[in-house]
Amino acid sequence: MEINESTIKETCKCSFDFECLKNEYNFCLRSNVENLIINSILFVKCMKNDCLYKLNYGNGAVCNCPVRKEIHIKYEK
């Protein structure tokens, strides 16, 4: 999986050492994306509470991770 270097540099708060790029069975890659709005707001079904890019929003969650967004846009559409 190839991710732009600028996206990786932008993801400065990753507390998981970019595990999603090393392991295709990573939790983030397996979590369901419910919706992507304007290529910037990624609604996900995510139970991982210790990610600094996850924000609870109502009954759901929003993922603001630049790497996760690029993965979804490039590979999961």
Side-chain angles (χ1 to χ4, degrees):
M1 179 176 324
E2 292 190 31
I3 300 297
N4 292 328
E5 188 65 34
S6 62
T7 302
I8 292 173
K9 287 180 183 177
E10 183 183 343
T11 312
C12 59
K13 296 189 294 185
C14 183
S15 55
F16 300 104
D17 194 31
F18 298 96
E19 187 179 316
C20 61
L21 298 178
K22 301 171 190 168
N23 180 359
E24 67 183 271
Y25 299 106
N26 175 270
F27 186 84
C28 284
L29 296 179
R30 292 178 299 148
S31 67
N32 294 332
V33 173
E34 294 179 315
N35 202 354
L36 175 67
I37 301 174
I38 315 171
N39 283 346
S40 65
I41 302 172
L42 192 64
F43 287 90
V44 295
K45 291 181 183 177
C46 182
M47 302 303 291
K48 198 165 193 125
N49 291 323
D50 51 350
C51 179
L52 297 174
Y53 286 102
K54 177 192 166 204
L55 299 170
N56 292 325
Y57 183 80
N59 292 332
V62 175
C63 177
N64 289 316
C65 175
V67 170
R68 183 66 182 100
K69 286 180 197 175
E70 186 170 323
I71 289 169
H72 179 74
I73 292 168
K74 279 185 167 180
Y75 299 104
E76 296 184 24
K77 276 191 167 182

